[in-house]
Amino acid sequence: MRSRGFTLIELMIALSIFAFVIGIAIPGFGSLIDQQRMSTGLNNLGLSLTMTRQEAVRMNRTLTLAPVDGDWNQGWVIFVDKDNDGAPGAGDKILRELPPDTTLRLHANRPVSRYVRFNAHGQTELLNGGFQAGTFRFCPAREGAEGRKLVINQIGRWRVERTVIDPKYCGS
């Protein structure tokens, strides 16, 4: 008479192989999720920069993109800066506000840490009229892993670099 099913030894071997394969796949999956998280954040910021620039040209006026509460990780807002201070205030006209991405770790260098401002020609400029260029760093979850940089040039265009981000920019 033939028996159908698995022996205990066959079942243990199959479970061991399954656990081994899962153990190899999980870290790679975590890295994939982290890369997707950074790409999504970068796309959101890039689209906001592009929209701010295009609207500044279309409206023939200066528009500003600034972080909520001074922290790019809390989201950002596109607005007409009527009092020319680089921050959204009571008298400023808000055009769009983007909510924060709670998983995003973003660092902006000094020239773009408070705002990115586009004039009617689509060029970036400081509050005093000087040219503005800067870099946003998107930090990976794991130190030493590849991150992203969004670099804005003087004419208001941006590009993306894939690079390892120095841990000093990614502190808690």
Side-chain angles (χ1 to χ4, degrees):
M1 178 171 187
R2 269 188 114 152
S3 172
R4 293 185 179 172
F6 298 104
T7 66
L8 183 58
I9 293 175
E10 292 171 331
L11 184 60
M12 293 301 289
I13 290 172
L15 286 174
S16 297
I17 292 171
F18 179 73
F20 178 74
V21 169
I22 291 297
I24 290 173
I26 294 285
F29 189 64
S31 176
L32 179 69
I33 289 172
D34 190 39
Q35 294 296 317
Q36 184 62 39
R37 176 189 58 80
M38 284 187 294
S39 292
T40 300
L42 188 134
N43 287 338
N44 288 340
L45 181 59
L47 287 171
S48 297
L49 287 165
T50 299
M51 181 180 5
T52 307
R53 182 174 189 247
Q54 289 174 342
E55 285 298 299
V57 171
R58 187 185 69 76
M59 295 171 69
N60 195 30
R61 71 178 314 158
T62 300
L63 293 181
T64 304
L65 177 71
V68 172
D69 296 329
D71 183 1
W72 290 100
N73 293 294
Q74 298 301 314
W76 45 86
V77 60
I78 300 170
F79 64 101
V80 177
D81 191 8
K82 293 180 180 178
D83 56 1
N84 200 37
D85 66 351
D92 297 329
K93 181 180 179 186
I94 305 293
L95 301 177
R96 184 161 188 198
E97 186 171 345
L98 285 94
D101 177 348
T102 56
T103 62
L104 193 61
R105 292 188 323 158
L106 174 62
H107 175 271
N109 69 352
R110 184 175 301 265
V112 294
S113 63
R114 291 186 32 234
Y115 63 88
V116 178
R117 181 177 151 120
F118 292 92
N119 64 24
H121 302 291
Q123 299 170 323
T124 52
E125 67 179 18
L126 296 169
L127 293 174
N128 65 11
F131 86 89
Q132 182 184 34
T135 302
F136 291 92
R137 291 173 177 85
F138 292 81
C139 298
R142 187 174 48 88
E143 189 175 309
E146 184 179 73
R148 306 279 190 287
K149 282 185 185 178
L150 186 145
V151 182
I152 305 170
N153 66 17
Q154 177 186 356
I155 61 171
R157 299 204 179 209
W158 54 273
R159 65 182 164 81
V160 175
E161 294 178 14
R162 289 175 169 250
T163 185
V164 174
I165 305 296
D166 190 320
K168 71 181 178 183
Y169 297 113
C170 300
S172 302

